[in-house]
Amino acid sequence: MRQTEQDIYVAKRILEQLPPNIRATFTTTQILALQHALARYRRTRHLVDIRLPIPFPGNGLYGVFLIGRNQRNQAVPKAKSQGMLARFTLIASILVGCGAIVSLSQLYRVLSPSIHNQPVIDQGPNFHPAEIPFKRNKQECEVSGRQWKDNQCIDDEHDPIF
């Protein structure tokens, strides 16, 4: 069965399923238009046609991913300008995204101290001995690497910022 014959067959099958009073109102021009629409639908099928709903407040959104032959008329200047706008928007979005990634990585590099750039810890005036209250005997204190002095567990490396 050729494609146009198949389109005619499908159009007839659609018309047969309609109630007789509605079917009688179709003119020859309308039937031919229906056959033409079916043929056009068959031509515009895509190799890949994925449509995914995206949850969004309100009516929601959906994304479409199509792959197939370009059947559109390229002579229409409006379609061409829309294509140019879409390309410009895509390129601008990619550039803004790359700029944001570079900016965030630079900000992270500046704000996070590097292990190699940390100052060597010295026990100068910034460090003060502190009593560790939860170490109650000499054995617990010395096992944790601290010193037992005057019945107190002393940490000599205490940083007041900590």
Side-chain angles (χ1 to χ4, degrees):
M1 194 180 286
R2 286 183 25 227
Q3 199 149 16
T4 53
E5 291 174 359
Q6 189 176 8
D7 296 335
I8 293 170
Y9 173 76
V10 171
K12 284 183 181 179
R13 291 286 303 188
I14 291 172
L15 289 171
E16 287 173 1
Q17 293 178 11
L18 293 174
N21 59 335
I22 295 175
R23 187 177 5 167
T25 63
F26 275 82
T27 65
T28 306
T29 307
Q30 289 173 326
I31 294 171
L32 289 173
L34 178 62
Q35 292 171 354
H36 178 71
L38 287 171
R40 184 160 196 259
Y41 169 75
R42 225 177 264 292
R43 276 195 323 263
T44 58
R45 286 191 298 180
H46 297 90
L47 182 64
V48 176
D49 186 348
I50 301 172
R51 298 166 192 264
L52 299 171
I54 300 169
F56 198 75
N59 291 335
L61 301 171
Y62 71 96
V64 178
F65 182 73
L66 301 173
I67 296 178
R69 291 185 59 202
N70 187 3
Q71 300 287 333
R72 298 176 301 163
N73 183 0
Q74 294 297 325
V76 179
K78 183 177 181 184
K80 192 171 185 178
S81 67
Q82 287 176 346
M84 294 288 286
L85 179 62
R87 286 186 190 107
F88 174 75
T89 304
L90 177 64
I91 291 170
S93 299
I94 290 171
L95 290 174
V96 167
C98 289
I101 290 170
V102 168
S103 298
L104 288 173
S105 66
Q106 290 296 323
L107 183 64
Y108 177 77
R109 189 178 66 82
V110 168
L111 294 180
S112 67
S114 173
I115 293 172
H116 303 292
N117 293 336
Q118 287 183 352
V120 177
I121 297 175
D122 64 346
Q123 293 188 3
N126 292 335
F127 291 90
H128 307 283
E131 177 190 356
I132 309 299
F134 52 87
K135 303 289 183 185
R136 304 229 182 258
N137 60 43
K138 183 176 181 177
Q139 182 181 3
E140 286 180 5
C141 180
E142 290 177 349
V143 167
S144 67
R146 296 177 176 96
Q147 296 178 0
W148 186 259
K149 294 179 186 175
D150 300 327
N151 289 331
Q152 294 178 339
C153 186
I154 303 296
D155 183 1
D156 287 329
E157 298 179 2
H158 179 70
D159 185 351
I161 296 174
F162 177 73

